[in-house]
């Protein structure tokens, strides 16, 4: 089976940098994705890592270490609109994604 | 370009009834997955459809079934509803050749009373 662990809550101030960690146990690992979900909204794809290293997309970056079964999402220059739930998800070869329970990020002024 | 559309947005059913939820994938996408999201939890994979066949299935009972049509749209059927089936049901689509990046719909909020 597959399991993922991420912190349940993170709080930061506007303009700061925050890192959300994700550790996973899985068979048939193919890649790690990150999604953002605002209350009542659809999950929105943020980033994907299949190989070790850092992927940067604007203010968001994502990192993967396959040997450590570990990844993180880095959010820079936090804005109030970044307050949301963030999910890491492990993708297997067939395309199935297993999601963590999510991290609620609260950005304060 | 419309993204993933789901209907209905909200639904209330009585325990024991049956329900059908519908999904139209994003234009150009041919693979559809269904997820169940309980309050405060991450989406749980139900199953995935490609070329009108169920390709992968999560740990859900046979009461959960689906279908994909030639135009790639999909339905999720749940029989003999239980109170525990109350959740947000999300449909996600992607192009089969894409490695990542599912596009999710806004979901159907199902309440079983």
């Amino acid at each position: 089976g597959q399991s993922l662990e991420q912190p349940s809550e993170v709080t930061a101030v506007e303009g700061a940098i925050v890192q959300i960690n994700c550790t996973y146990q899985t068979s048939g690992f193919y890649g790690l994705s990150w999604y953002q979900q605002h209350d009542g909204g659809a999950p929105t794809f943020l980033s994907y890592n299949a190989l070790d290293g850092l992927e940067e997309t604007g203010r968001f970056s994502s990192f993967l270490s396959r040997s450590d079964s570990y990844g993180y999402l880095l959010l820079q220059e936090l804005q109030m609109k970044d307050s949301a739930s963030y999910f890491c998800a492990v993708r297997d070869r067939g395309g199935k994604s297993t999601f963590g329970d999510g991290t609620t990020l609260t950005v304060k002024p | 370009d419309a993204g993933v559309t789901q209907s209905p947005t909200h639904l209330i059913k009585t325990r024991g009834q049956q329900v059908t939820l519908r999904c139209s994938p994003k234009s150009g996408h041919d693979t559809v997955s269904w997820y169940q999201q309980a309050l405060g939890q991450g989406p749980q994979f139900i199953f995935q459809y490609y070329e009108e066949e169920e390709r992968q299935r999560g740990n859900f009972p046979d009461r959960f079934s689906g279908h994909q049509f030639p135009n790639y749209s999909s339905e999720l059927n749940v029989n003999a509803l239980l109170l525990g089936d109350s959740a947000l049901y999300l449909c996600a689509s992607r192009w089969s050749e894409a490695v990542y990046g599912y596009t999710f719909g806004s979901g159907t909020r199902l309440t079983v009373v």
Side-chain angles (χ1 to χ4, degrees):
Chain A
Q2 296 173 323
S3 67
L4 297 92
E5 285 193 17
Q6 51 182 127
S8 58
E9 296 181 350
V10 172
T11 301
V13 297
E14 240 181 329
I17 300 172
V18 71
Q19 178 174 312
I20 300 174
N21 299 319
C22 174
T23 58
Y24 58 88
Q25 292 183 332
T26 184
S27 56
F29 177 87
Y30 202 69
L32 185 71
S33 298
W34 288 92
Y35 288 82
Q36 177 194 62
Q37 186 179 32
H38 287 97
D39 273 350
T44 303
F45 172 78
L46 293 177
S47 68
Y48 177 78
N49 296 71
L51 303 175
D52 287 357
L54 191 68
E55 294 284 342
E56 297 181 74
T57 309
R59 295 188 297 115
F60 294 0
S61 303
S62 59
F63 172 82
L64 175 66
S65 169
R66 294 174 68 119
S67 60
D68 295 325
S69 298
Y70 164 76
Y72 66 73
L73 179 70
L74 191 72
L75 298 85
Q76 302 181 73
E77 301 172 15
L78 281 174
Q79 302 175 8
M80 298 297 291
K81 68 178 182 179
D82 297 329
S83 292
S85 292
Y86 292 83
F87 297 91
C88 59
V90 168
R91 183 189 184 279
D92 69 12
R93 292 190 178 275
K96 166 188 169 183
S97 285
T98 300
F99 284 74
D101 281 338
T103 298
T104 300
L105 171 63
T106 302
V107 180
K108 296 187 173 181
Chain B
D1 175 30
V4 177
T5 57
Q6 293 186 242
S7 63
T9 55
H10 294 82
L11 199 54
I12 299 176
K13 288 287 190 178
T14 302
R15 193 171 41 182
Q17 285 188 313
Q18 179 266 345
V19 68
T20 297
L21 310 182
R22 295 176 175 81
C23 171
S24 293
K26 183 176 179 178
S27 178
H29 288 188
D30 56 6
T31 302
V32 173
S33 295
W34 286 91
Y35 288 82
Q36 179 194 67
Q37 186 175 25
L39 204 61
Q41 295 183 15
Q44 300 296 310
F45 178 79
I46 303 175
F47 40 54
Q48 177 178 280
Y49 277 85
Y50 171 65
E51 291 187 332
E52 302 178 50
E53 289 189 12
E54 183 183 294
R55 300 293 179 166
Q56 285 185 293
R57 189 178 182 92
N59 294 324
F60 279 80
D62 292 344
R63 299 187 296 109
F64 289 77
S65 63
H67 190 77
Q68 185 180 34
F69 300 93
N71 66 353
Y72 309 123
S73 67
S74 178
E75 288 181 349
L76 165 65
N77 301 291
V78 187
N79 294 322
L81 283 167
L82 304 174
L83 297 180
D85 295 331
S86 296
L88 180 68
Y89 288 86
L90 294 163
C91 173
S93 72
R94 69 177 174 95
W95 178 47
S96 55
E97 297 301 316
V99 175
Y100 57 85
Y102 275 99
T103 299
F104 278 82
S106 295
T108 294
R109 173 70 64 186
L110 173 65
T111 302
V112 182
V113 297

